[in-house]
Amino acid sequence: MQHFLSNATYYHSARTPTGDEDSTPMDMWNGYVNNDDRALMKVIKYSSPTSAGAECIDPDCSWVEQWVHRAGPRKDIYYEPNEVKAAIVTCGGLCPGLNDVIRQVVFTLETYGVKNIVGIPFGFRGFFEKGLKEMPLSRNLVENINLAGGSFLGVSRGGPKTSEIVDSIQARRIDMLFVLGGNGTHAGANAIHDECRKRKLKVSVVAVPKTIDNDIPLMDKTFGFDTAVEEAQRAINSAYIEARSAYHGIGLVKLMGRSSGFIAMHASLSSGQVDVCLIPEVSFALDGEYGVLQHLEQLIKNKGFCVVCVAEAAGQELLQNSGATDASGNAILSDIGVHMQQKIKTHFKGIGVHADIKYIDPTYMVRACRANASDAILCTVLGQNAVHGAFAGFSGITSCICNTHYVYLPVTQVITAPKRVNHKGRMWHRCLTSTGQPDFR
Ligand SMILES: Nc1ncnc2c1ncn2[C@@H]1O[C@H](COP(=O)(O)OP(=O)(O)OP(=O)(O)O)[C@@H](O)[C@H]1O
Ligand SMILES: O=P(O)(O)OC[C@H]1O[C@](O)(CO)[C@@H](O)[C@@H]1O
Ligand SMILES: [Mg+2]
């Protein structure tokens, strides 16, 4: 999908180099990314599949180069900016940085010369629900939205069928659709892209990977994850202070993560205050000689207090499952935090040892805040690159960071399955070294 219509005017003349900055002759340097530029996805050569965290394509783990499109502005662009109508939609749950991305998408579109920019309110529902009107967007309007958390456009789960969304895209004459969301949203974006191709519509569908869960494969991280970890750390710190100050204090913190334990693992690592970290990727027993409760008993005996961090999806096999799903079809989890709180209380009562349990569930607090510095920068780059990708004529891509480089990945590649913590990987083992916890099996 790359038939170039015009030359890009993305760069301001003030940014054109004077010729002094480097040795590239003035007439050759243009500051644009070449269409054939690629980034290497993986840089470690594992000599054996038994190496810690090895990700091998072949059984013998031979080196396979995987190149991906480098993101950034192209000299030749596919659309006439003044004819473009661009729309932005934010789907799924909230995530720090949504407003930063919306803002950068608007800024970058305007820099290209796009005048018709709209926001679709409340996720994919905004394409369908009567009474939800598209919101005209401009630099002036979005100038300060990054100062607050949430989504300026609103979010939602569930919503219309793909064909209805594409009917709406067609009726609204949208040329570029920027879709901000997690794995569900990416599946939605892919379905929209496919339907547009089927109908031979010239629409660029470009996603930006958002989720505090960090569960989208192939990329270093999703925006919002760092901020969520930082906020989660505050909850752990409070649990630590409460536990440390109480006689036989046990601080218990439950952290979000629908199907993966990245937030729990990273917050445990970064806080350095956690004695036991439980994630869904590693099964554990609560009862018995090698169970968590026995270990807590030892911790209380030996150091007088302890802190436990449990991911919300951990230990689901120990609980009754209602089978219920949310509007997007995601399973509704049973509450492992409350379950553990009760189990710990009962256990210590049963052995006649005093224990003071302080349970903290920060829930939405880790994601309803504004982006921290590192996420704000990531959002800025991903948002700008999303627009460059659309102008380059790409569709069905996501703007992300791989192996520290900014790239475009085909959406189809990132919706295969949610990324999960590798229990044989170095990071999980670092976490175990830090907490000092044994295997609970
Ligand atoms: N397989 C799918 N095909 C088409 N649309 C989908 C699919 N899965 C989810 N969606 C749509 O994508 C939107 C967001 O999905 P979902 O609620 O799962 O959030 P998400 O993008 O995974 O973000 P979060 O990380 O917050 O859960 C919803 O409106 C949902 O209807
Ligand atoms: O926003 P809701 O529907 O309450 O969903 C909560 C879920 O969303 C997330 O915050 C992001 O996927 C998960 O960590 C959590 O399980
Ligand atoms: Mg999801």
Side-chain angles (χ1 to χ4, degrees), residues 243-256:
R244 182 90 178 80
S245 310
Y247 174 57
H248 285 181
I250 300 178
L252 172 64
V253 181
K254 184 183 79 171
L255 294 174
M256 276 191 171

Side-chain angles (χ1 to χ4, degrees), residues 91-94 123-125 156-160 162 180-189 191 210-213 215 258 326-328 330 367:
C91 313
L94 280 186
F124 289 141
R125 282 175 190 274
S156 71
R157 297 195 188 275
T162 303
L180 283 48
N183 39 20
T185 306
H186 276 66
K210 154 242 85 151
T211 172
I212 59 164
D213 294 356
D215 59 355
R258 191 192 295 291
D326 68 13
S328 294
N330 300 303
R367 65 176 212 190

Side-chain angles (χ1 to χ4, degrees), residues 81-102:
N82 55 13
E83 290 170 7
V84 165
K85 178 171 182 183
I88 311 172
V89 63
T90 59
C91 313
L94 280 186
C95 178
L98 282 165
N99 286 337
D100 301 64
V101 178
I102 296 168

Side-chain angles (χ1 to χ4, degrees), residues 213-216 225 255-266 277-284 309-317 417-425 427-429 431-432 437 439 441:
D213 294 356
N214 197 30
D215 59 355
I216 306 190
F225 172 65
L255 294 174
M256 276 191 171
R258 191 192 295 291
S259 56
S260 61
F262 288 104
I263 300 177
M265 176 174 77
H266 281 247
C277 175
L278 302 170
I279 58 171
E281 294 84 349
V282 180
S283 60
F284 58 90
C309 174
V310 61
E312 65 171 340
Q316 289 297 302
E317 63 283 1
K419 179 169 78 177
R420 307 192 80 208
V421 172
N422 179 357
H423 67 282
K424 292 182 185 158
M427 206 49 118
W428 177 241
H429 288 166
C431 188
L432 295 180
Q437 72 196 66
D439 282 347
R441 274 170 293 154

Side-chain angles (χ1 to χ4, degrees), residues 326-348:
D326 68 13
S328 294
N330 300 303
I332 293 178
L333 301 170
S334 305
D335 198 330
I336 184 70
V338 170
H339 179 72
M340 283 193 62
Q341 184 190 21
Q342 292 310 324
K343 288 284 289 186
I344 296 169
K345 266 189 192 157
T346 313
H347 178 80
F348 280 90

Side-chain angles (χ1 to χ4, degrees), residues 11 40 75 106 110 136-137 154 160 163 165 200 203 224 233 240 250 267 275 304 350 374 389 426 431 437:
Y11 275 97
L40 194 55
K75 188 160 193 294
V106 172
E110 283 197 358
L137 299 174
S163 58
I165 296 174
K200 298 198 171 13
V203 180
Q233 223 192 149
Y240 173 85
I250 300 178
D275 299 291
S374 81
R426 296 283 295 122
C431 188
Q437 72 196 66

